Amino acid sequence: METNATYTSLVAVGDSFTEGMSDRLPDGSYRGWADLLAGRMAARTPGFRYANLAVRGKLIGQIVADQVSVAAAMQPDLITLVGGLNDTLRPKCDMGRVRGLLEEAVERLAPSCKQLVLMRSPGRQGPVLERFRPRMEELFACVDDLAARHGALVVDLYGAPSLADPRMWDVDRLHLTAEGHRRVAEAVWQTLGYEAQDTEWRTPMPASAPPGWGARRTADVRFARQYLLPWIGRRLTGRSSGDGRPAKRPELLPFDGSVA
């Protein structure tokens, strides 16, 4: 049963997850769950407008400084905010500061739209997640508290078994595949009260034989060379993959929905 089908505009705020990495289109650009969601909404609402302010690599402080005021000024019907996870993955992370900045973002965004949507981000199975799990869960507890206090919706991706499957994650082990993004779009769609298009988005993929030892070692070497070492290098030098990169879709403009 649909509870609300009247949204006419969407502004997405966040980092690489909302930018759409690694759902790559043929031209090399990224699509992602927010584009897919906007496409669905545009298909049923003539004149639907969409902006995506997300930039890869951004910390919650940068999101607050660069995106929150812009999104609030647009006064859309719907705002999605996903941020803070990059902070939790840093070797040194002041969780008190992260919580405070997230609270500031919510307090500024909630009054500027009809509906604010927050998320408990998905977590890939593996040793990296286990190391940072306490911080992530502290962040998600803050998300739940803020949503209750400010009337925001929470999309629980962290609790979805399907999105924990390593096969839903790209070779960089940090970003979802196209199928992962599709399932996230479905999760947000249903949370907004629209009729499900995929009632099984939480269901894990069918089991398959695990790759052999040689294939795993080859994948590990590729991951370390192409992704892990550059990521460590950026951390050591204070750089970010999003430095100097503009917002994905900086203006709230009509969206034709062709990505869906």
Side-chain angles (χ1 to χ4, degrees):
M1 178 68 69
E2 296 186 10
T3 59
N4 195 324
T6 62
Y7 299 116
T8 63
S9 53
L10 164 65
V11 176
V13 174
D15 51 32
S16 59
F17 175 67
T18 300
E19 184 184 343
M21 296 174 72
S22 290
D23 183 8
R24 192 182 296 275
L25 294 170
D27 65 359
S29 64
Y30 293 111
R31 181 177 55 178
W33 67 266
D35 284 13
L36 291 167
L37 176 67
R40 287 191 185 188
M41 302 181 85
R44 62 189 298 134
T45 307
F48 184 84
R49 297 176 300 151
Y50 170 52
N52 189 324
L53 307 180
V55 178
R56 67 195 68 174
K58 294 304 181 182
L59 303 174
I60 186 61
Q62 295 168 312
I63 292 172
V64 171
D66 300 337
Q67 300 179 34
V68 167
S69 293
V70 177
M74 291 177 175
Q75 295 191 308
D77 285 349
L78 181 66
I79 295 177
T80 63
L81 167 64
V82 188
L85 197 62
N86 282 335
D87 297 77
T88 69
L89 298 177
R90 296 294 178 105
K92 296 181 180 179
C93 174
D94 182 346
M95 285 304 297
R97 181 174 182 272
V98 171
R99 293 194 306 271
L101 287 165
L102 187 60
E103 182 172 12
E104 178 183 345
V106 170
E107 288 178 344
R108 291 165 62 183
L109 291 174
S112 70
C113 62
K114 289 184 178 178
Q115 184 62 66
L116 177 64
V117 177
L118 307 176
M119 295 190 196
R120 294 162 55 91
S121 304
R124 183 184 187 274
Q125 292 176 350
V128 173
L129 174 62
E130 292 307 315
R131 176 181 177 184
F132 296 107
R133 186 184 296 275
R135 290 181 185 173
M136 293 172 62
E137 294 186 347
E138 183 177 348
L139 177 68
F140 299 153
C142 179
V143 166
D144 290 342
D145 176 65
L146 289 171
R149 289 195 279 126
H150 294 276
L153 298 174
V154 177
V155 184
D156 184 15
L157 306 174
Y158 184 68
S162 62
L163 296 177
D165 190 326
R167 291 172 294 176
M168 287 287 180
W169 296 78
D170 194 43
V171 292
D172 66 1
R173 305 180 184 180
L174 287 174
H175 300 107
L176 291 170
T177 62
E179 173 61 14
H181 279 283
R182 185 196 68 79
R183 295 193 186 213
V184 172
E186 179 67 31
V188 182
W189 179 258
Q190 292 184 27
T191 300
L192 290 171
Y194 293 109
E195 184 176 356
Q197 295 185 17
D198 175 11
T199 59
E200 301 297 325
W201 75 266
R202 288 178 172 271
T203 303
M205 297 171 64
S208 62
W213 183 91
R216 294 198 305 273
R217 296 294 78 76
T218 298
D220 288 343
V221 170
R222 178 187 177 192
F223 163 71
R225 182 177 63 249
Q226 293 187 222
Y227 301 103
L228 180 59
L229 292 178
W231 183 85
I232 292 173
R234 290 194 298 271
R235 299 292 80 75
L236 293 175
T237 58
R239 294 178 291 114
S240 167
S241 57
D243 288 347
R245 185 175 294 274
K248 178 177 182 177
R249 187 180 170 89
E251 298 181 75
L252 187 58
L253 297 173
F255 190 63
D256 64 13
S258 58
V259 299

